[in-house]
Amino acid sequence: MAKHTQAHLTRSIARNKPSTLKDMTKRQMEYYMGAKLLEIGVNPKSAIYRWSIEIKGANEVFTYSAYWDDSKEKLLQDEQASD
């Protein structure tokens, strides 16, 4: 079975909610991602992280992504190529 080298968490929040609620949700997602990486045996400090926000109707969809090993290297190469 192929080894996973990335993980993604997604949460949807109403756009009209206060920014403090959105910030708290983001912090919770960061904490949960770190815990999940530890659970699967990945050092959270060895991964790189990226946020994306998408507007879907009356909601904002936050996605927090972690990349390590091969996915991390590929992402960094892709980002360098686009600079």
Side-chain angles (χ1 to χ4, degrees):
M1 187 164 127
K3 183 177 151 186
H4 294 284
T5 59
Q6 54 185 278
H8 310 276
L9 288 174
T10 302
R11 298 285 183 272
S12 181
I13 302 173
R15 289 172 58 191
N16 63 352
K17 295 294 182 183
S19 62
T20 53
L21 176 67
K22 294 174 187 178
D23 291 341
M24 182 181 68
T25 300
K26 287 180 175 180
R27 285 192 307 274
Q28 289 173 341
M29 291 172 71
E30 290 169 347
Y31 177 84
Y32 183 68
M33 178 67 81
K36 291 306 285 180
L37 292 179
L38 286 172
E39 188 177 289
I40 63 171
V42 175
N43 180 351
K45 292 184 179 185
S46 71
I48 57 172
Y49 303 90
R50 298 293 183 266
W51 280 103
S52 67
I53 301 172
E54 184 180 353
I55 305 299
K56 285 193 176 178
N59 293 324
E60 288 179 292
V61 179
F62 295 100
T63 302
Y64 191 51
S65 301
Y67 303 90
W68 61 94
D69 292 342
D70 295 342
S71 291
K72 176 182 175 179
E73 297 305 319
K74 181 173 178 358
L75 179 66
L76 291 173
Q77 288 175 358
D78 291 348
E79 288 177 348
Q80 278 186 333
S82 67
D83 285 345

